[in-house]
């Protein structure tokens, strides 16, 4: 692998893992800030793309805006649902494990929409992923707590007649919808890339630019949570007499690390095979999960660990990484034995 590939892998781990830290710092303080976080991430990536990809609007897209319409709608819904789910008592570790089921969702959509058929190992991997997610979900259901921010007078916080488990169930439904939409988005993206060629930087820009008007529908919610962030305790920066609200600082770093994360993923996609990309992202998710558990002291029982191991084992089986990783070693051993036989003769 060349320097560009290694720097992209480093960017994925540094950017994505640190992004999870800042995301959890934001969610711990204000679980309902999902729309604010999503809007901020979309805005910073759209600004960067406007400057460096479209050259201030002078470069026209290769893929038509009409073709981008469906892709943008699915991408927008997926991101909003994933971040908004935190408002419904979904803990960060469960959120990570649940999203690791993307391979399962892609396979199900491939069977339903594209009429694809898979080998037995693929079905086994999906079974392991499903059992792992169900196990983590059921165990988490016994530990549901109301995470509504007392500073936020929202419907969730005020509805005393509903229990926390009701909102948790709604959060699981939202995550499931996001998972299925994300799978459909991947299939549609494959169609666009086959038709127009791989336009990863362009797709990154327009999938973040075009949904921005949609956030006007959430304007009051975004502003409400921005005010909550501004009202957080001041944080001293770099030992100088500059104080900013800590949640605003975390939001800025979340935006920056999100850009590093997603741009590195796109570079990795262009430089490596899909197998390598999947393995890097799977390992990254596992590291992020460990950081969330250890740094933030999130509850994680032995059943959570079993479920997590099943999910990631199923992912590795799905990508066929195990035999492909061992194959060079097997080949080397065979060549060594054959060489010895030749010497003996």
């Amino acid at each position: 692998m060349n320097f560009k590939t290694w720097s992209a892998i480093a960017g994925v781990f540094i950017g994505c893992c640190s992004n999870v830290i800042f995301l959890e710092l934001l969610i711990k303080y204000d679980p309902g800030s999902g729309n604010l976080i999503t809007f901020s991430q979309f805005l910073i990536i759209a600004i960067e793309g406007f400057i460096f990809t479209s050259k201030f609007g002078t470069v026209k897209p290769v893929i038509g805006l009409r073709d981008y319409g469906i892709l943008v709608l699915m991408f927008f819904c997926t991101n909003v649902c994933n971040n908004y789910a935190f408002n419904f008592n979904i803990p960060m570790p469960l959120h990570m494990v649940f999203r690791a089921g993307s391979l399962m969702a892609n396979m199900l959509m491939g069977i339903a929409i594209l009429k694809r058929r898979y080998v037995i190992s693929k079905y086994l991997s999906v079974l392991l992923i499903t059992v792992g997610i169900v196990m983590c979900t059921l165990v988490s259901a016994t530990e549901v707590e109301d995470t509504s921010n007392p500073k936020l007078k929202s419907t969730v916080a005020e509805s005393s007649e509903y229990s926390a488990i009701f909102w948790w169930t709604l959060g699981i439904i939202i995550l499931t919808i996001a998972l299925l939409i994300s799978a459909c988005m991947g299939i549609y993206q494959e169609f666009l890339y086959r038709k127009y060629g791989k336009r990863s930087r362009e797709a990154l820009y327009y999938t973040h630019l075009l949904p921005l008007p949609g956030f006007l529908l959430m304007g009051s919610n975004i502003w409400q949570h921005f005010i909550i962030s501004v009202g957080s305790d001041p944080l001293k920066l770099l030992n100088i007499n500059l104080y900013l609200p800590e949640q605003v600082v975390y939001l800025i770093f979340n935006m920056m690390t999100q850009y590093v994360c997603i741009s590195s993923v796109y570079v990795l996609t262009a430089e490596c095979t899909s197998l390598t990309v999947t393995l890097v992202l799977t390992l990254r998710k596992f590291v992020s999960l460990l950081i969330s558990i250890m740094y933030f002291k999130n509850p994680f029982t032995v059943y959570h660990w079993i479920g997590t191991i099943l999910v990631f084992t199923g992912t590795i089986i799905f990508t066929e990484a195990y035999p492909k990783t061992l194959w060079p070693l097997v080949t080397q051993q065979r060549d060594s034995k054959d060489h010895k036989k030749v010497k003996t003769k």
Side-chain angles (χ1 to χ4, degrees):
M1 290 190 288
N2 55 32
F3 175 78
K4 192 174 183 180
T5 302
W6 282 112
S7 61
I9 293 175
V12 168
F13 278 92
I14 296 172
C16 299
C17 291
S18 57
N19 178 260
V20 169
I21 294 175
F22 291 113
L23 175 61
E24 189 152 5
L25 287 170
L26 290 166
I27 296 300
K28 289 281 188 181
Y29 183 83
D30 181 11
S33 60
N35 290 333
L36 171 64
I37 297 170
T38 307
F39 170 72
S40 302
Q41 293 173 348
F42 274 54
L43 181 63
I44 191 66
I45 294 174
I47 292 174
E48 188 275 341
F50 179 72
I51 297 173
F52 297 104
T53 302
S54 73
K55 310 295 183 184
F56 296 94
T58 59
V59 178
K60 293 183 178 180
V62 176
I63 301 177
L65 296 181
R66 181 179 298 178
D67 292 315
Y68 271 126
I70 299 176
L71 181 65
V72 166
L73 180 62
M74 290 189 289
F75 185 72
F76 176 76
C77 292
T78 299
N79 281 272
V80 170
C81 287
N82 278 327
N83 283 338
Y84 195 63
F86 288 114
N87 202 33
F88 298 93
N89 307 329
I90 301 295
M92 181 65 77
L94 176 60
H95 193 277
M96 292 180 188
V97 174
F98 210 93
R99 291 186 66 179
S102 56
L103 279 177
M104 175 188 66
N106 287 336
M107 182 177 181
L108 293 177
M109 290 298 101
I111 294 173
I113 299 176
L114 302 178
K115 308 302 181 184
R116 289 177 176 170
R117 293 296 178 266
Y118 300 90
V119 297
I120 297 298
S121 63
K122 303 290 186 183
Y123 293 107
L124 173 62
S125 68
V126 169
L127 177 62
L128 291 175
I129 293 171
T130 304
V131 173
I133 290 177
V134 170
M135 180 177 293
C136 288
T137 304
L138 292 178
V139 174
S140 296
T142 63
E143 303 169 356
V144 175
E145 297 179 359
D146 187 1
T147 59
S148 302
N149 192 324
K151 297 181 181 181
L152 178 60
K153 302 301 182 182
S154 65
T155 305
V156 176
E158 293 176 348
S159 301
S160 57
E161 69 271 17
Y162 296 109
S163 64
I165 192 68
F166 171 81
W167 296 111
W168 175 87
T169 304
L170 188 57
I172 292 296
I173 293 174
I174 291 174
L175 283 178
T176 304
I177 292 173
L179 203 62
L180 295 176
I181 295 176
S182 177
C184 293
M185 183 181 72
I187 293 174
Y188 186 70
Q189 200 165 13
E190 283 183 26
F191 166 76
L192 291 181
Y193 284 167
R194 283 199 302 268
K195 185 177 180 181
Y196 296 100
K198 288 191 175 183
R199 306 286 174 180
S200 56
R201 294 295 301 178
E202 178 185 302
L204 174 66
Y205 169 52
Y206 283 100
T207 52
H208 286 81
L209 173 69
L210 297 180
L212 288 179
F215 287 101
L216 292 175
L217 300 174
M218 312 168 191
S220 59
N221 178 270
I222 292 173
W223 180 252
Q224 189 177 23
H225 289 280
F226 179 72
I227 295 300
I228 293 175
S229 297
V230 172
S232 60
D233 296 332
L235 184 67
K236 189 176 182 180
L237 298 179
L238 302 176
N239 293 322
I240 58 178
N241 292 324
L242 177 61
Y243 291 86
L244 288 176
E246 63 174 8
Q247 294 302 305
V248 173
V249 175
Y250 295 154
L251 182 62
I252 293 173
F253 278 104
N254 179 266
M255 294 162 61
M256 295 169 58
T257 53
Q258 173 68 9
Y259 170 73
V260 173
C261 172
I262 195 166
S263 59
S264 298
V265 170
Y266 274 82
V267 171
L268 198 63
T269 303
E271 293 293 322
C272 302
T273 63
S274 58
L275 172 64
T276 302
V277 175
T278 303
L279 287 178
V280 171
L281 295 182
T282 301
L283 184 58
R284 193 279 303 171
K285 290 176 183 177
F286 189 71
V287 173
S288 296
L289 182 63
L290 293 178
I291 292 174
S292 177
I293 296 166
M294 297 171 65
Y295 184 80
F296 292 98
K297 302 295 190 295
N298 282 311
F300 213 73
T301 66
V302 64
Y303 298 105
H304 284 101
W305 278 113
I306 294 173
T308 302
I309 291 172
L310 289 174
V311 169
F312 286 101
T313 301
T315 301
I316 292 175
I317 292 176
F318 189 95
T319 58
E320 299 178 355
Y322 184 74
K324 290 186 178 182
T325 303
L326 291 184
W327 180 249
L329 298 177
V330 173
T331 305
Q332 186 177 6
Q333 290 177 354
R334 285 181 179 176
D335 292 342
S336 177
K337 289 180 180 179
D338 292 339
H339 185 66
K340 289 180 180 179
K341 288 181 180 179
V342 171
K343 279 188 174 182
T344 304
K345 291 180 181 179

